[in-house]
Structure formats: structure tokens, C-alpha cells
Amino acid sequence: MIRSLLEKDIASIAKLERELFGPGAWSEALVRQEINAPARNYLVDEDPEGGIRGYAGYWYDGDDAELMTIGVAKRWQRRGIAIHLLEYLLSQAHQQGARRMLLEVRVDNEAAISMYARLGFLRIGLRKRYYQPEGVDAYTMSLDIAQWAAMSYAGRLPQSDETRRHPSPAPADALGTATRQGDTPTERNMTAMNDAVRKD
């Protein structure tokens, strides 16, 4: 079940961060800082027992939306959870009026790049040594959200049936909606990394 990320989820998200990103993981304090920053929209995918399988979020400043992160627990990867989360985020951004969604993705993250391409993201640039401390380059990718919405609802993109029926998660005291930049979790932009990674 996809729902809004709540304060009670922060410890679970920080634990997933450590599993997925090792030395670059956000601490509980950084997770809290990010989800409470202005203009943020964060979701989690919850299993039937209440565990967190995945999480994702973006910020929207009134023009473009930017994917901040997307991650899926290793044991739940390759099951479509990441793409489902991203579809929900795109639906929300579309409802807010965002023109595009932007993201950065490691150039060596083939799984994430492939997933983004399936949804219609196009590569528009390269950011040298974007991911630190490893110094790995990142591709910048962009998606025209109105075009995505038109194509997905017309059945031309692999959007899940569940997302079509319920384009937005049930509200639940979500933390933050917002915007962020700078040398913080955002700058490291967990944005796209494959299921652990912020995607699947």
C-alpha cells in the first residue's frame, strides 16, 4: 500500500538508507530535515504487516519538480515497487501543475536509467563527479509530465492499473511538501539509483 510518509516512519527510512547507500546514507536527523523541508512530497510503500518496502519523494517549486530519492529494500527489489512509487509521484506532480520532473542518476546505474527511460525520461546533460564521496558522474534526465500523463492514461506507457485507479495516495498527515537544494541530503540527491537505489 502506498501512503504518505509519516514521522513514525523516519527510523525505518534511516535503516533502509544504511542498507542501500552505506557510507552515503542519510541519518535519522537528515531524513527528518529532508522530509520537513519546504515543498517536499514523500511517500512510502508499506507491506501488509506494516513494514516499509520502499520510499520516494520530490520537491516542487511552482515550475519543475525534482525527484529527490527513491529506494526499495533489497528483499523487495525487482517487483515493480520503485516504478509504482514513481508513478504516484508523477501523478501528484501533475496535479500540482508541474511541467517537468528532473532527476540525476549515476551513469553506472543501468537499472535505474532503464526504468526512467521506460517512463519517458530523456537524458539532457551530464554532471561530472556529482555523487560523492565516490566522485561518480550523473546523467541529468527530464520528463514532460503533461505528455507522460496523456500517454500513460491512454495506455501507451507501463503505468500500473492500481495507479490509474488511485492516482494519489490516501492523505495521512504527510510530513512536508517542498523544495530543497544545497549541500544537504538533496545535494547528494539520492535520486536515482536502482531499486536500492532509489528504484527498481
Side-chain angles (χ1 to χ4, degrees):
M1 175 185 78
I2 291 182
R3 61 167 174 77
S4 298
L5 194 157
L6 305 176
E7 176 75 23
K8 69 185 179 88
D9 301 318
I10 289 175
S12 296
I13 299 303
K15 182 178 178 182
L16 271 178
E17 279 279 309
R18 293 190 294 272
E19 174 189 339
L20 300 175
F21 304 110
W26 290 350
S27 65
E28 285 192 32
L30 286 176
V31 171
R32 182 173 286 105
Q33 173 188 325
E34 167 61 13
I35 64 178
N36 284 303
R40 296 301 194 280
N41 292 273
Y42 272 84
L43 303 173
V44 298
D45 181 281
E46 186 177 65
D47 68 31
E49 286 73 50
I52 303 300
R53 295 185 291 203
Y55 58 103
Y58 71 92
W59 71 269
Y60 173 58
D61 65 358
D63 188 13
D64 291 332
E66 175 150 4
L67 183 65
M68 303 307 293
T69 188
I70 179 166
V72 175
K74 290 181 179 178
R75 65 184 290 253
W76 291 104
Q77 290 177 13
R78 309 298 177 193
R79 304 190 193 196
I81 292 171
I83 201 165
H84 197 189
L85 281 164
L86 185 50
E87 287 171 345
Y88 266 92
L89 293 183
L90 286 167
S91 293
Q92 286 190 334
H94 183 244
Q95 290 169 14
Q96 286 185 292
R99 299 185 305 113
R100 297 186 301 173
M101 183 167 281
L102 303 172
L103 61 84
E104 283 79 30
V105 57
R106 290 173 61 115
V107 297
D108 58 359
N109 190 342
E110 295 179 8
I113 293 167
S114 175
M115 183 189 76
Y116 293 137
R118 284 178 58 203
L119 286 171
F121 281 87
L122 300 175
R123 198 182 304 171
I124 60 172
L126 177 70
R127 302 187 69 175
K128 301 294 287 184
R129 301 181 59 80
Y130 182 77
Y131 289 98
Q132 296 298 328
E134 306 100 317
V136 177
D137 296 347
Y139 291 127
T140 301
M141 300 183 79
S142 173
L143 176 69
D144 181 307
I145 293 177
Q147 185 177 52
W148 168 83
M151 293 179 71
S152 61
Y153 284 98
R156 295 174 59 196
L157 287 176
Q159 186 185 47
S160 68
D161 291 338
E162 183 67 16
T163 303
R164 287 197 191 91
R165 286 195 298 272
H166 306 290
S168 296
D173 300 72
L175 295 175
T177 357
T179 193
R180 170 176 95 179
Q181 302 189 166
D183 194 8
T184 54
T186 308
E187 183 59 30
R188 115 157 136 90
N189 206 315
M190 305 158 35
T191 281
M193 310 178 205
N194 145 15
D195 253 348
V197 77
R198 304 167 185 214
K199 49 237 30 238
D200 71 71

